[in-house]
Amino acid sequence: MENWSPRNCWLSHTNKNWRDVSHHWLVQPTERPEGGTYTDYESVNECMEGVCKMYEEQHLKRMNPNSPSSTYGISQLFDFIDDQADLSSLVYQAATQTYQPCNKDWIKEKICMHLCRQQEGK
């Protein structure tokens, strides 16, 4: 993840590398501007997997450092999402060649869909 702030994030979207991917995930865990990061993904599904991995690696492992594995419910994941000062996504819209901003509620909806598809595949 690279550092971002609301100011440099919007300036960066004109960079060619920024347009080479279809999905950007922006995280601001605290109110401190220097704490924000962003990650690029090729798809919404990859991004939702990234949200889950962030929860598992940054939160669950910190809470249970001696546990080799952890289980959690979707409500715990959603609480984690809600606890972030800012968490949003920018999804590329090819028709307009713009990025659509998506909020936490949109992210939670896509996570539900992603996890349901994973369960159906088992």
Side-chain angles (χ1 to χ4, degrees):
M1 290 186 154
E2 299 181 38
N3 287 335
W4 74 281
S5 70
R7 183 180 186 293
N8 71 19
C9 173
W10 296 111
L11 294 175
S12 297
H13 86 283
T14 57
N15 179 320
K16 177 165 179 14
N17 293 337
W18 184 266
R19 290 190 309 258
D20 288 343
V21 296
S22 63
H23 201 86
H24 303 283
W25 176 44
L26 314 172
V27 182
Q28 182 87 26
T30 67
E31 295 296 329
R32 291 183 10 247
E34 65 275 8
T37 60
Y38 72 90
T39 305
D40 299 330
Y41 293 97
E42 294 297 323
S43 71
V44 171
N45 283 337
E46 282 182 22
C47 183
M48 296 309 110
E49 190 65 34
V51 174
C52 294
K53 284 190 186 298
M54 182 179 126
Y55 174 68
E56 293 164 3
E57 293 173 2
Q58 293 183 8
H59 183 72
L60 288 180
K61 283 187 181 178
R62 190 172 349 127
M63 299 300 289
N64 305 299
N66 297 324
S67 178
S69 65
S70 297
T71 59
Y72 58 92
I74 197 159
S75 63
Q76 294 166 302
L77 176 59
F78 286 178
D79 288 345
F80 173 77
I81 289 169
D82 289 336
D83 287 344
Q84 303 303 302
D86 186 20
L87 182 89
S88 55
S89 292
L90 296 174
V91 180
Y92 185 69
Q93 304 297 312
T96 58
Q97 295 185 347
T98 60
Y99 285 91
Q100 175 186 351
C102 302
N103 63 17
K104 291 177 183 180
D105 289 334
W106 182 91
I107 292 168
K108 290 190 251 183
E109 178 185 333
K110 296 302 178 188
I111 284 176
C112 280
M113 293 169 61
H114 175 70
L115 294 176
C116 285
R117 278 194 295 269
Q118 281 185 336
Q119 287 298 326
E120 290 170 358
K122 287 186 177 182

